[in-house]
């Protein structure tokens, strides 16, 4: 079907889950082939997929839909780094949405308190008070200093250990609610129950959350 489209010099090509039944390595090589076809033909490609890695790798614009409504349509990098709302933040990629409190804010950043630890987060504009903050695993690392947490679980994924952490319960006054967890990729194994500190290199305050 793809060969027929290319021979006919089609200007618009629809892909509907084309790689759903392929193994991992063949899927990867076909994604590269699709990218090459797009570059060489200049055709508009509408690519329907449930595989987020494929969508982010192939698209110049990604549309996130829920219940028939487009929640965000933007470049892949923007959808991933600055999701428009909590639904998109929870759906695209891996990450943790935690509660915090804005202490001070500027035009594009804000100082927030999460579990008694203060850090600077990116912001689309917010005011002081409770907020929801998106923390991606690649922006977190176990460090001698940082946000305190306790190891709940660790799963070996090959390149990294996928570690689930619990934030401390809040004390008196404003702060995160109980039961908040972080997901972090660690190159070193950690033990369940171990107390660690987490350094945060990037955070995003979710608009309207």
């Amino acid at each position: 079907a793809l060969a027929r489209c290319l021979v006919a010099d089609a200007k618009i090509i629809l892909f509907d889950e084309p790689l759903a039944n392929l193994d991992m390595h063949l899927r990867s090589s076909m994604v590269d082939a699709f990218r090459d076809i797009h570059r060489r033909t200049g055709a508009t490609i509408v690519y329907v997929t449930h595989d987020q890695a494929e969508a982010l790798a192939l698209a110049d614009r990604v549309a996130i839909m829920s219940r028939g409504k487009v929640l965000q349509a933007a470049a892949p990098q923007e959808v991933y780094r600055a999701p428009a709302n909590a639904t998109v933040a929870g759906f695209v990629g891996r990450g943790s949405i935690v509660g915090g409190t804005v202490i001070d804010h500027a035009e594009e950043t804000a100082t927030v308190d999460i579990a008694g630890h203060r850090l600077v987060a990116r912001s689309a504009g917010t005011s002081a008070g409770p907020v929801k903050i998106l923390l991606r695993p690649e922006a977190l690392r176990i460090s001698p200093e940082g946000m305190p947490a306790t190891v709940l679980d660790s799963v070996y994924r090959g390149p990294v250990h996928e570690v689930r952490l619990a934030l401390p319960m809040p004390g008196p006054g404003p702060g995160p609610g109980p039961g908040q967890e972080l997901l972090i990729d660690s190159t070193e194994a950690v033990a369940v129950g171990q107390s660690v500190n987490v350094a945060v290199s990037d955070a995003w305050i979710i608009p309207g959350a």
Side-chain angles (χ1 to χ4, degrees), residues 34-196:
F34 291 157
R35 287 170 57 87
D36 183 58
I37 289 169
H38 186 229
R39 280 193 297 263
R40 289 192 291 111
T41 66
T44 296
I45 294 177
V46 180
Y47 194 98
V48 181
T49 179
H50 288 283
D51 189 309
Q52 295 183 13
E54 287 177 21
L56 297 177
L58 288 168
D60 54 9
R61 286 181 64 79
V62 175
I64 308 299
M65 298 182 66
S66 177
R67 299 181 181 180
K69 181 180 179 181
V70 175
L71 302 181
Q72 186 173 7
Q77 296 89 341
E78 182 178 346
V79 171
Y80 186 84
R81 294 191 71 246
N85 55 43
T87 301
V88 177
F91 178 74
V92 175
R94 297 181 304 144
S96 306
I97 299 175
V98 299
T101 303
V102 171
I103 306 301
D104 188 22
H105 59 89
E107 186 174 345
E108 296 182 348
T109 62
T111 300
V112 296
D113 182 288
I114 303 174
H117 179 74
R118 293 191 178 188
L119 57 94
V120 176
R122 292 179 293 112
S123 169
T126 187
S127 56
V131 291
K132 293 294 185 181
I133 302 157
L134 174 63
L135 300 172
R136 297 288 191 192
E138 65 272 14
L140 308 175
R141 63 180 178 85
I142 295 176
S143 172
E145 298 180 351
M147 189 161 43
T150 303
V151 177
L152 293 176
D153 192 22
S154 179
V155 179
Y156 182 58
R157 299 293 188 186
V160 295
H161 299 266
E162 186 178 79
V163 181
R164 192 162 52 91
L165 304 171
L167 294 176
M169 297 283 283
Q180 295 201 120
E181 298 181 2
L182 294 180
L183 190 66
I184 182 173
D185 292 335
S186 175
T187 56
E188 297 182 2
V190 291
V192 173
Q194 181 178 341
S195 295
V196 297

